[in-house]
Amino acid sequence: MKTITRFKLRTILKDEVYKLQEKEEPFDLLSILEKEINLLGLKNNSYAIARYIYIRLGELFEYDVGLEYATEEKKEKLKRKRVNIRNVTDFSIICDSYAYMYVELLNHFGIPAKVVDTKAHVYVIYNIDEKTYLADLTSGNEDITRIKFGLKPNYNRQIHPIAPKEDTTFDEIDKMIYINGISTEEGLNFLKEELELKKRQEKWSQEEYTYQVFKIIEMIMNFKRKSIGFVSGVTYIYYLLNFFIEQYEMNHTHFLNQEDGLEMELFLVKKDNNIIYFSYQKEKDSFYSFHKISELELTVTVRNKNLKLIKKKKSA
C-alpha cells in the first residue's frame, strides 16, 4: 500500500505548540500566530492571514464532546465560555467560543469581522477588499475534522457579492501556505484503487472487502491518534467509510461516561459470517485510537470505564 502523506501546512512552530499541548501548559496563541505569519511572509496579505488562522485553529482545537449530553445549565456555561488568546489553557471549543476567538484574531490583524448568532448556531463573516467571506469551522464538525486530516476545508469561502459554485476562493493562497507533495485526497485515492484491485485479484466477498476497509481505517487512525480528539476522529471514520464503500450497511453503537467525558464509538462488521468489533476510544496514554477489539475486551472496557449505551443505529 502507498503511504499517505499529509497535505501539510508550512507551520514552522507546529512541534513547539504540540509540546505545550501535551504538557498541558498554557501558551500565548496570538504571539505564536504573529511569529508564524511573519516567518512565512504572510504579514501584508489579509487573505493569507485569514485563511492561515482559520486552518491553524482547526489544527489546534477540538470540538467539546460534552455539549450534546450536557444539562441546560452546563450548555449555557459552554456557550458563554471564551478563549483567552493570550493564555490558552483549554483546547475544547464549541461554535460560540470558536467564533468569538476567530473574530478577535482577525480584528487584531486589521480584518473587519463579526459573529453571526442564529441561536441554533454561531459562525463568522469577515470582509476584505469589499468582499464578504464565511468562516464556519464547527459546522457539522466537518472542517475541524478535514483540517486535522489534511483535507481542504469546505466552510471558509467568499459568499458576497457572488457565491461561486466551485470553491476556488483560497486556491492561490493555499499554494502559499501548504507544502507541495501528495495530498491526502490523492493518497486516499491510491489506497482505494489498490484495495479494489486486490478485491478483484483475490475475489473477495463484500464482507471481506468491508473488513479490509476497516483494517485500512485502523492504520490511518492509529497513525493520527496523537493529534485528534473524539469528535474529529469519529467524523473522519464516517468520512472514510463513505469514501471506501459506496453502499454499505453498518451497525454502530455510541457509549458514554458522562461524568468523565469518555466516549466510545463501536462498529460491528462481519467476516466469514463471524462478528468482529472495531472501536474508537480513549487509550491509557490519553490518545484516541481505532482498533479491532474482541467481545471480551469490549465487555471489560465498557465495565471498567463505566460506559453507558447512548444510541445504537444501523446505517446503509
Side-chain angles (χ1 to χ4, degrees), residues 279-292:
S279 70
Y280 184 65
Q281 65 190 71
K282 202 163 191 175
E283 298 291 302
K284 294 177 184 177
D285 53 12
S286 81
F287 298 140
Y288 285 97
S289 186
F290 183 67
H291 56 84
K292 187 162 68 171

Side-chain angles (χ1 to χ4, degrees), residues 208-264:
E208 179 64 31
Y209 177 76
T210 300
Y211 173 76
Q212 294 299 329
V213 165
F214 270 84
K215 293 299 293 181
I216 290 291
I217 296 175
E218 178 185 24
M219 175 192 74
I220 295 170
M221 299 303 294
N222 282 321
F223 177 74
K224 287 293 300 177
R225 70 194 189 119
K226 287 188 178 182
S227 57
I228 54 177
F230 184 79
V231 173
S232 57
V234 169
T235 304
Y236 195 58
I237 291 170
Y238 290 142
Y239 170 83
L240 291 172
L241 285 171
N242 283 300
F243 177 82
F244 284 109
I245 308 172
E246 293 181 3
Q247 292 184 335
Y248 72 95
E249 186 177 284
M250 205 68 55
N251 294 285
H252 42 100
T253 308
H254 191 106
F255 291 90
L256 168 72
N257 177 329
Q258 196 163 354
E259 185 176 334
D260 295 334
L262 293 175
E263 297 193 69
M264 179 173 74

Side-chain angles (χ1 to χ4, degrees), residues 84-101:
N84 182 347
I85 60 173
R86 288 286 190 182
N87 186 37
V88 180
T89 58
D90 184 354
F91 293 93
S92 296
I93 58 170
I94 62 172
C95 58
D96 302 71
S97 46
Y98 154 71
Y100 283 95
M101 171 173 54

Side-chain angles (χ1 to χ4, degrees), residues 4-50:
I4 295 178
T5 59
R6 281 197 64 205
F7 195 33
K8 294 180 182 177
L9 273 168
R10 289 167 50 214
T11 306
I12 297 169
L13 303 180
K14 184 185 293 183
D15 289 341
E16 176 184 319
V17 174
Y18 283 157
K19 286 176 183 176
L20 289 171
Q21 285 181 310
E22 287 176 4
K23 293 178 182 177
E24 298 185 344
E25 294 179 2
F27 73 96
D28 188 335
L29 174 63
L30 180 58
S31 293
I32 287 171
L33 288 173
E34 287 178 329
K35 193 182 295 186
E36 292 181 349
I37 286 167
N38 284 334
L39 288 169
L40 293 172
L42 309 178
K43 188 175 181 180
N44 298 316
N45 188 327
S46 294
Y47 296 98
I49 290 171

Side-chain angles (χ1 to χ4, degrees), residues 140-304:
N141 302 314
E142 188 170 328
D143 274 6
I144 205 168
T145 300
R146 293 179 68 85
I147 289 168
K148 283 179 172 59
F149 288 91
L151 296 164
K152 182 180 178 180
N154 288 330
Y155 296 104
N156 180 210
R157 59 189 299 172
Q158 183 182 334
I159 57 172
H160 184 77
I162 298 172
K165 291 182 180 179
E166 183 68 26
D167 182 16
T168 60
T169 304
F170 291 103
D171 282 2
E172 292 304 311
I173 299 300
D174 286 349
K175 291 177 184 177
M176 297 172 57
I177 63 177
Y178 279 121
I179 291 175
N180 294 326
I182 298 176
S183 69
T184 300
E185 289 92 339
E186 291 171 322
L188 290 175
N189 280 320
F190 288 145
L191 285 176
K192 187 174 183 179
E193 288 171 7
E194 292 190 0
L195 200 59
E196 289 177 344
L197 176 62
K198 203 166 183 181
K199 178 183 179 181
R200 292 192 298 271
Q201 290 177 336
E202 300 190 13
K203 298 181 180 179
W204 286 344
S205 65
Q206 186 59 36
E207 264 189 18
E208 179 64 31
Y209 177 76
T210 300
Y211 173 76
Q212 294 299 329
V213 165
F214 270 84
K215 293 299 293 181
I216 290 291
I217 296 175
E218 178 185 24
M219 175 192 74
I220 295 170
M221 299 303 294
N222 282 321
F223 177 74
K224 287 293 300 177
R225 70 194 189 119
K226 287 188 178 182
S227 57
I228 54 177
F230 184 79
V231 173
S232 57
V234 169
T235 304
Y236 195 58
I237 291 170
Y238 290 142
Y239 170 83
L240 291 172
L241 285 171
N242 283 300
F243 177 82
F244 284 109
I245 308 172
E246 293 181 3
Q247 292 184 335
Y248 72 95
E249 186 177 284
M250 205 68 55
N251 294 285
H252 42 100
T253 308
H254 191 106
F255 291 90
L256 168 72
N257 177 329
Q258 196 163 354
E259 185 176 334
D260 295 334
L262 293 175
E263 297 193 69
M264 179 173 74
E265 197 81 355
L266 184 70
F267 298 84
L268 180 153
V269 295
K270 286 186 176 181
K271 182 184 179 185
D272 300 327
N273 293 317
N274 294 315
I275 293 176
I276 297 170
Y277 298 101
F278 282 85
S279 70
Y280 184 65
Q281 65 190 71
K282 202 163 191 175
E283 298 291 302
K284 294 177 184 177
D285 53 12
S286 81
F287 298 140
Y288 285 97
S289 186
F290 183 67
H291 56 84
K292 187 162 68 171
I293 184 171
S294 69
E295 189 169 4
L296 177 60
E297 289 172 315
L298 171 61
T299 303
V300 171
T301 298
V302 170
R303 182 181 67 241
N304 290 349

